[in-house]
Amino acid sequence: MKYNISEDFWIDEKYKQLFISASGGADSTIVLYAIIKFLQQHNRIDTKIHINTVLFHHYDSYGGSTLKTASNVVSKIIELTNAFDLINSHEFYFRGNAEGFYDRYGRYIVHRVHPTSKTRTEDNKANAPCDASRYWLMELSNRIIQRPDKDQCLLISGQNKNPPAGAVVTSPLGKSIELRRSSPYQHRNDNDNKWVLDNRGVHGFFPITAADKKDVIELYRHFGVYESLLPLTFSCATWDPISTVNFTKPCGECWWCLERKWGMEQ
């Protein structure tokens, strides 16, 4: 996929307040970087960025891994772009409790059976709440709808597409994993709509919704930040503190780790 920053990341001038969900993962990080480059390229100094990061109790309580990763990537982006004047805020939201309940996320409960490439089956698929990102975007949308300038606000996400059918990667255990079929995000197979308007009037922008992980990695090369920014991101989403050494290193086995491995393969 070839990218043109003025086309693929174009934002109308009517949007002055950009609310970007930033997890510290590869997808949201490159979207934040690209949006900043777009604003600078078009001299949009009157537009401000509000970075939003959610911290989930079931793994961030071990040492704030998401907080550290998101802070590191944002700091690096500011270093690379000198965009300090464009960023209005970076807010962290602490969600959940020790029992794994997330009261602001509907029925979202953390189960011990995680939908990774090793454990996900048709039997446990329905019991594994892997749509936290969708609930989080709903929460940000709720915040925007309460603002008097909501018509000037834009919710931006790095949500992207699953790998294509037939994409296979080898796990650390030597097992061949078909990524699309085993993905916990089946609703991301066919959605190419970059612009979304929800039923309350909140505008959403998903600039890489038609891109898979290989396309995302190519964006890092396109912007020349493959070696400087990508290594700071963290894609692992396992719930196991042992295999990740208290969430300080990727497990290498969960679906998100395998997707990243596939994306980086030449």
Side-chain angles (χ1 to χ4, degrees):
M1 179 178 290
K2 300 297 182 182
Y3 294 93
N4 183 307
I5 189 171
S6 292
E7 296 177 3
D8 296 308
F9 296 93
W10 175 266
I11 295 175
D12 193 282
E13 292 187 11
K14 68 180 180 181
Y15 298 114
K16 305 298 184 184
Q17 308 296 330
L18 310 182
F19 290 79
I20 302 181
S21 175
S23 66
D27 306 327
S28 61
T29 296
I30 198 61
V31 166
L32 174 59
Y33 182 88
I35 294 298
I36 288 175
K37 297 300 287 186
F38 167 80
L39 295 177
Q40 291 178 328
Q41 181 174 312
H42 294 273
N43 197 32
R44 294 277 294 276
I45 58 176
D46 60 337
T47 303
K48 300 303 177 185
I49 293 174
H50 305 263
I51 303 171
N52 300 268
T53 301
V54 63
L55 309 178
F56 293 108
H57 187 285
H58 60 282
Y59 50 77
D60 286 304
S61 60
Y62 282 88
S65 58
T66 304
L67 187 153
K68 295 174 183 176
T69 302
S71 297
N72 286 340
V73 298
V74 170
S75 296
K76 189 64 176 182
I77 288 174
I78 293 175
E79 175 189 329
L80 294 171
T81 63
N82 193 28
F84 196 85
D85 57 332
L86 288 175
I87 298 177
N88 177 276
S89 61
H90 186 180
E91 296 190 43
F92 293 88
Y93 301 85
F94 295 80
R95 297 293 177 259
N97 58 35
E99 285 70 47
F101 286 87
Y102 291 83
D103 56 349
R104 303 190 185 199
Y105 292 81
R107 297 185 297 274
Y108 180 53
I109 303 174
V110 173
H111 295 266
R112 291 307 171 191
V113 178
H114 187 276
T116 65
S117 57
K118 290 196 303 179
T119 64
R120 182 182 182 277
T121 66
E122 291 305 313
D123 292 333
N124 71 34
K125 176 182 176 183
N127 295 323
C130 49
D131 225 357
S133 59
R134 178 177 290 184
Y135 289 119
W136 168 231
L137 291 179
M138 288 170 58
E139 182 174 345
L140 282 183
S141 179
N142 290 337
R143 292 177 175 274
I144 291 174
I145 202 68
Q146 299 174 23
R147 292 176 58 100
D149 61 347
K150 63 180 181 180
D151 292 336
Q152 297 181 8
C153 297
L154 185 63
L155 176 60
I156 302 175
S157 168
Q159 177 176 301
N160 62 320
K161 182 177 287 189
N162 282 328
V168 175
V169 67
T170 303
S171 74
L173 299 177
K175 183 179 179 181
S176 293
I177 306 296
E178 185 176 346
L179 290 170
R180 173 169 285 217
R181 187 173 62 85
S182 62
S183 170
Y185 295 125
Q186 291 298 312
H187 65 279
R188 295 186 180 182
N189 285 343
D190 303 305
N191 183 19
D192 291 344
N193 188 12
K194 293 170 60 173
W195 292 94
V196 177
L197 177 65
D198 73 11
N199 56 12
R200 296 167 302 170
V202 175
H203 295 253
F205 182 39
F206 300 76
I208 61 172
T209 190
D212 60 35
K213 190 67 75 177
K214 284 189 182 294
D215 297 322
V216 170
I217 300 302
E218 183 58 33
L219 264 177
Y220 281 87
R221 296 190 178 96
H222 173 82
F223 285 112
V225 292
Y226 181 83
E227 296 182 355
S228 58
L229 186 58
L230 179 60
L232 298 180
T233 64
F234 195 84
S235 299
C236 181
T238 188
W239 301 340
D240 178 21
I242 298 176
S243 64
T244 59
V245 191
N246 284 341
F247 306 102
T248 59
K249 57 179 289 188
C251 72
E253 298 179 4
C254 71
W255 188 88
W256 294 268
C257 280
L258 295 178
E259 182 202 28
R260 181 179 177 121
K261 178 184 177 182
W262 172 81
M264 297 182 70
E265 290 177 346
Q266 295 290 329

